[in-house]
Amino acid sequence: AQSVTQLGSHVSVSEGALVLLRCNYSSSVPPYLFWYVQYPNQGLQLLLKYTTGATLVKGINGFEAEFKKSETSFHLTKPSAHMSDAAEYFCAVSLLNSGYSTLTFGKGTMLLVSP
Amino acid sequence: DVKVTQSSRYLVKRTGEKVFLECVQDMDHENMFWYRQDPGLGLRLIYFSYDVKMKEKGDIPEGYSVSREKKERFSLILESASTNQTSMYLCASSLTGVRSEAFFGQGTRLTVV
């Protein structure tokens, strides 16, 4: 079975600092991986996804993630944090469930950005 | 743009009531999903549907049922609401295929008193 683990339920950074949110997956087959963001009292919005091809994936709002098969990781980064990046971030893996694809999510990481 | 619309943002219901949460998508997606979100637990899949009148159980189906009579509409039903079903409920839709991302509604925050 596939699953994802997000390290750190909360991450705090200063405005302008590097953002690094960690995600590791377990999979016996090539995974399809996603990062979503959730602003307060909102639904989830797709940031980026890895399916095949280039291992460095660029997303919206200056975020990117690198798929590293040897480390079973798909960490999310942004060079310089903005106050508006404060939100909860979810890593997800696409899973075949009874022959149909569903997304299995990590438990989320809350990003706090201080001035 | 894909739009997934949930009928209510906030609901307060009494224990034992039958509760309907409605979701509509406008992009002709085959798949629709209901997730439950709780602090520290992330999103957990309750049910999903891959076609009209078809449904599959997710990870936490107990106490819930679903209905999909039309392709664009997917309903979550709490047969007899209980306080432990107080939560944020998120509906999503997607195309078929493991590479397809899901598009989410704004969520319904349900409180059972």
Side-chain angles (χ1 to χ4, degrees):
Chain A
Q2 299 183 49
S3 68
V4 290
T5 302
Q6 291 184 241
L7 298 177
S9 59
H10 291 79
V11 170
S12 295
V13 299
S14 300
E15 195 172 18
L18 171 71
V19 175
L20 171 60
L21 304 181
R22 299 177 186 275
C23 173
N24 288 90
Y25 66 91
S26 63
S27 173
S28 57
V29 297
Y32 301 103
L33 296 158
F34 304 79
W35 274 101
Y36 283 84
V37 61
Q38 185 181 34
Y39 298 103
N41 296 315
Q42 299 291 322
L44 274 68
Q45 178 183 2
L46 180 71
L47 274 176
L48 49 80
K49 67 176 181 180
Y50 170 78
T51 54
T52 57
T55 55
L56 182 63
V57 181
K58 294 188 183 299
I60 62 171
N61 302 337
F63 284 93
E64 61 184 34
E66 187 171 11
F67 170 65
K68 291 188 176 180
K69 186 177 179 180
S70 61
E71 298 178 7
T72 62
S73 69
F74 190 56
H75 301 332
L76 182 70
T77 60
K78 182 173 180 178
S80 177
H82 292 180
M83 296 295 291
S84 60
D85 294 326
E88 190 159 23
Y89 292 80
F90 292 93
C91 182
V93 63
S94 186
L95 169 71
L96 278 180
N97 191 331
S98 302
Y100 300 94
S101 60
T102 63
L103 287 177
T104 296
F105 287 84
K107 294 186 177 181
T109 298
M110 185 69 73
L111 177 65
L112 307 169
V113 183
S114 57
Chain B
D1 281 351
V2 175
K3 191 163 186 181
V4 179
T5 303
Q6 295 183 230
S7 55
S8 303
R9 292 295 304 274
Y10 301 93
L11 276 179
V12 180
K13 297 292 182 180
R14 296 194 179 277
T15 301
E17 275 193 78
K18 190 170 186 176
V19 181
F20 294 85
L21 302 183
E22 308 286 344
C23 176
V24 177
Q25 52 97 2
D26 66 358
M27 282 301 292
D28 203 34
H29 284 170
E30 296 87 3
N31 298 336
M32 296 190 75
F33 310 87
W34 277 105
Y35 286 90
R36 170 176 172 160
Q37 183 181 13
D38 298 289
L41 297 179
L43 278 74
R44 294 178 291 168
L45 183 63
I46 305 172
Y47 269 96
F48 67 99
S49 169
Y50 51 89
D51 201 352
V52 175
K53 298 189 186 295
M54 306 305 291
K55 61 184 179 183
E56 289 285 341
K57 292 179 180 179
D59 300 317
I60 53 165
E62 297 78 17
Y64 304 94
S65 62
V66 291
S67 173
R68 194 169 181 197
E69 296 296 319
K70 293 185 177 182
K71 190 175 185 180
E72 67 271 18
R73 187 178 297 271
F74 192 35
S75 302
L76 179 69
I77 304 157
L78 286 66
E79 296 291 343
S80 178
S82 64
T83 54
N84 62 15
Q85 293 178 309
T86 291
S87 187
M88 170 73 93
Y89 291 87
L90 292 163
C91 175
S93 71
S94 77
L95 292 169
T96 296
V98 291
R99 303 181 185 189
S100 299
E101 67 266 34
F103 295 84
F104 283 81
Q106 296 284 72
T108 296
R109 188 168 293 281
L110 173 67
T111 302
V112 182
V113 298

